[in-house]
Amino acid sequence: MYRECLILDEALQEALSGIQRCNKRIEEQKNGNFDWTRLCEEILSPDNELDVADFLGPIKIALLANRGGGRGIVATRNIVAGELLLVAKPFAVARQRPDELNMVIAFNFLTKKVDSSRHLEVIHKCVLKLSTGSDDATRDFYDLYAGDDGQHSPVVPSRTKEPRNLFDRDIDANRIETTCSLNWFGIGANPLGLAGVRQKDQGMSDLGCALYLLPSYLNHACASNAQRFFFDGIMVIRASRDIASGTEITHSYCSSEDAYQKRKQVLPKWFPECDCSLCTQDRAAGNDRLSKRESLTKRLDSDDLDINELFDIIEQLETSYTTTYGSFRPALSNAHLQVARAFESSYKYAQDNRFLQGAIQHYFIALETREVKIIDHSIDGKKSNKKPLPISKAIVPYNLNTCSFICLAIFRCFSLLNDTLRAERWLRVGLWIESVTSGGGVRMFKLRHATALAQLDEQASSLLAKVEASA
């Protein structure tokens, strides 16, 4: 259509812009080349609708023996941590509008919870779309999981080329409601935040709600190998681990950082018990250790803890994990993070470099207890001219905001110590985490940490500019 318009007027700007947009969407769909920072900036602009293509990476729907013959998504080849797996637009979406009074509520007899008007709007939009939409879209929707009592297809969905009479569709309102209740996602209003910090069916008082087709086949694991986040209603899935071909792709329906008991309360809607490595370890730790850990975690919320109290909490937290427990220990990470901040604050008053070195050591531990594998723990001494990252790239940490903040803090400390080489390396770690999680690189990193970056001293700001110029 646009090319036909150019025949009439080769300088028609609307047609030229339209062709440019189409070429960008084709590039996105074919190669997964998205301008993530542009998307974020468009979201921050009022009344801006995102224009992006869907993208399917090296994954496919498959039948899984470990899921009782049920369906899931698996890797079709070896996948590197941080690789883009999926970009999906919603089948139906409802957003909470700032000027709207949320006076409509309904009780959901499946989840035994009160649904918001956003949930009801998604169900309503699904009914309308299934009444008038394409035959393929209708089949894809009805192939989604609808509970153990639902008659969902036991085989991998296939396409049919035979159109159906739109007036002869079977609109099963109860099945639509059940399908939505088991598959919808809460979407946050903050485009810079990871979806992993929000529950899949979290209350919608300040959020939106959306249903997706292909992403609904992703099964759950608290210790997942992929993570999702949103650009408004656009869902993005990236690998958070190196994944071998044929391995199931999982993401978490709840926050992996939540205590075991909290996760256990959320998940029975889909299955009786999670069998992921994190939950298995927590069950092995026993109720006494779990209760102790939860109690100590609540103590960390206090604003008046001194450094000795923090060290006491750390010592007790260590005993709440078994000797075989994995490295992902977010409660312990948060405790070390508070100690590191306390050391930084002490430096501001005493101007003693030992406080900065102590802060860096605890920032290191805060990262390692979030599964970041540090391969260079040095904080002083001989400096190498080589510039590899001081961490392993095999694992992407779950919490982008926290981990990139910690890297920025380490960068700041090394800069104050006039150790520009180590400062630059740790800044690059933060940028790498940003790139393999949000895809945005330096520009997104600067948007995410604008407040903290504005407070950097002249030397740190110069280092940032140098790294940005070389990116």
Side-chain angles (χ1 to χ4, degrees):
M1 180 182 71
Y2 290 125
R3 296 192 185 281
E4 292 173 351
C5 292
L6 289 178
I7 295 175
L8 301 176
D9 182 357
E10 62 182 15
L12 185 62
Q13 190 59 44
E14 183 177 350
L16 293 171
S17 298
I19 291 175
Q20 186 179 33
R21 287 197 306 272
C22 289
N23 287 334
K24 287 180 178 178
R25 300 297 83 79
I26 292 171
E27 177 68 16
E28 289 168 353
Q29 187 176 57
K30 183 178 179 181
N31 299 317
N33 293 333
F34 293 83
D35 186 345
W36 303 109
T37 308
R38 175 189 67 82
L39 296 180
C40 180
E41 291 169 344
E42 286 186 5
I43 294 171
L44 296 175
S45 302
D47 303 321
N48 223 338
E49 290 292 330
L50 295 187
D51 180 21
V52 297
D54 288 316
F55 170 76
L56 179 64
I59 59 176
K60 68 177 182 179
I61 300 173
L63 302 178
L64 303 170
N66 65 318
R67 299 286 182 180
R71 298 163 298 173
I73 291 182
V74 300
T76 58
R77 60 166 171 77
N78 292 340
I79 293 171
V80 178
E83 188 170 345
L84 181 65
L85 303 180
L86 179 66
V87 176
K89 291 178 284 191
F91 182 82
V93 62
R95 297 176 179 85
Q96 183 73 37
R97 291 175 283 275
D99 58 345
E100 179 184 9
L101 293 176
N102 189 11
M103 302 299 293
V104 180
I105 59 174
F107 186 77
N108 189 317
F109 286 92
L110 175 68
T111 61
K112 304 297 190 295
K113 293 181 180 179
V114 174
D115 286 342
S116 73
S117 59
R118 299 307 102 211
H119 288 86
L120 299 181
E121 187 176 340
V122 164
I123 294 172
H124 175 68
K125 287 184 175 180
C126 285
V127 171
L128 291 179
K129 197 163 187 176
L130 293 170
S131 300
T132 60
S134 71
D135 192 64
D136 281 344
T138 299
R139 175 177 173 78
D140 288 345
F141 178 89
Y142 282 120
D143 270 321
L144 295 180
Y145 178 65
D148 292 336
D149 295 330
Q151 300 301 312
H152 59 282
S153 171
V155 298
V156 178
S158 59
R159 303 286 183 177
T160 174
K161 296 183 179 181
E162 298 180 6
R164 294 195 301 173
N165 187 334
L166 294 181
F167 298 99
D168 192 33
R169 291 183 183 264
D170 179 16
I171 303 300
D172 186 339
N174 183 65
R175 183 186 176 88
I176 292 172
E177 181 179 6
T178 302
T179 300
C180 288
S181 296
L182 292 172
N183 292 285
W184 52 28
F185 291 81
I187 54 174
N190 177 10
L192 297 179
L194 280 179
V197 301
R198 301 186 185 277
Q199 291 178 190
K200 185 174 179 182
D201 63 339
Q202 176 174 334
M204 298 295 130
S205 59
D206 62 345
L207 306 174
C209 178
L211 180 83
Y212 300 83
L213 295 179
L214 187 57
S216 292
Y217 288 94
L218 286 163
N219 288 315
H220 165 83
C222 301
S224 59
N225 57 15
Q227 54 185 313
R228 70 184 182 276
F229 64 103
F230 295 96
F231 286 89
D232 196 23
I234 308 300
M235 184 189 290
V236 179
I237 305 286
R238 287 182 180 272
S240 54
R241 303 285 189 277
D242 288 345
I243 303 172
S245 178
T247 302
E248 182 184 9
I249 309 295
T250 59
H251 67 160
S252 184
Y253 294 177
C254 57
S255 171
S256 300
E257 296 188 6
D258 284 343
Y260 173 73
Q261 291 298 336
K262 187 173 182 179
R263 303 198 309 270
K264 188 178 177 181
Q265 291 173 2
V266 173
L267 299 174
K269 173 176 154 183
W270 296 280
F271 39 76
E273 189 173 76
C274 178
D275 61 356
C276 78
S277 60
L278 185 61
C279 288
T280 301
Q281 290 175 135
D282 280 335
R283 283 192 292 272
N287 291 331
D288 289 344
R289 282 195 178 97
L290 294 177
S291 297
K292 180 180 182 180
R293 191 187 309 162
E294 189 169 357
S295 176
L296 291 167
T297 301
K298 289 178 180 178
R299 280 186 61 191
L300 287 173
D301 293 334
S302 176
D303 296 327
D304 56 356
L305 294 173
D306 61 34
I307 194 72
N308 292 322
E309 289 175 306
L310 287 172
F311 278 124
D312 178 62
I313 290 175
I314 287 175
E315 185 178 350
Q316 293 188 60
L317 274 173
E318 289 280 9
T319 64
S320 74
Y321 299 95
T322 62
T323 55
T324 57
Y325 202 95
S327 60
F328 184 65
R329 307 180 181 193
L332 192 58
S333 174
N334 291 336
H336 282 283
L337 188 55
Q338 289 198 31
V339 171
R341 287 168 172 166
F343 276 134
E344 270 204 272
S345 296
S346 297
Y347 170 79
K348 292 178 182 178
Y349 295 102
Q351 295 295 300
D352 187 333
N353 286 351
R354 289 176 297 179
F355 286 119
L356 289 177
Q357 292 173 337
I360 292 171
Q361 289 174 332
H362 284 278
Y363 280 133
F364 281 174
I365 299 173
L367 282 177
E368 289 181 310
T369 46
R370 291 180 180 275
E371 287 196 307
V372 176
K373 185 178 180 181
I374 298 177
I375 55 181
D376 180 3
H377 291 82
S378 65
I379 59 173
D380 57 15
K382 184 178 179 181
K383 302 174 186 178
S384 170
N385 291 324
K386 297 180 180 179
K387 293 186 178 181
L389 293 183
I391 67 166
S392 167
K393 293 184 178 181
I395 295 178
V396 178
Y398 287 118
N399 193 321
L400 166 60
N401 289 319
T402 299
C403 291
S404 61
F405 166 81
I406 294 174
C407 292
L408 180 59
I410 296 172
F411 158 73
R412 181 175 61 240
C413 290
F414 275 127
S415 180
L416 289 170
L417 289 169
N418 294 314
D419 191 340
T420 56
L421 179 59
R422 289 188 176 92
E424 181 179 335
R425 283 181 180 175
W426 280 99
L427 177 58
R428 291 186 183 278
V429 172
L431 295 176
W432 175 79
I433 292 175
E434 183 73 54
S435 294
V436 296
T437 306
S438 74
V442 178
R443 289 170 63 199
M444 188 78 88
F445 185 85
K446 291 176 70 175
L447 276 173
R448 185 184 306 282
H449 299 294
T451 302
L453 291 173
Q455 299 171 0
L456 293 177
D457 61 21
E458 184 177 349
Q459 178 172 281
S461 298
S462 298
L463 269 177
L464 175 62
K466 174 187 174 183
V467 171
E468 184 175 11
S470 65

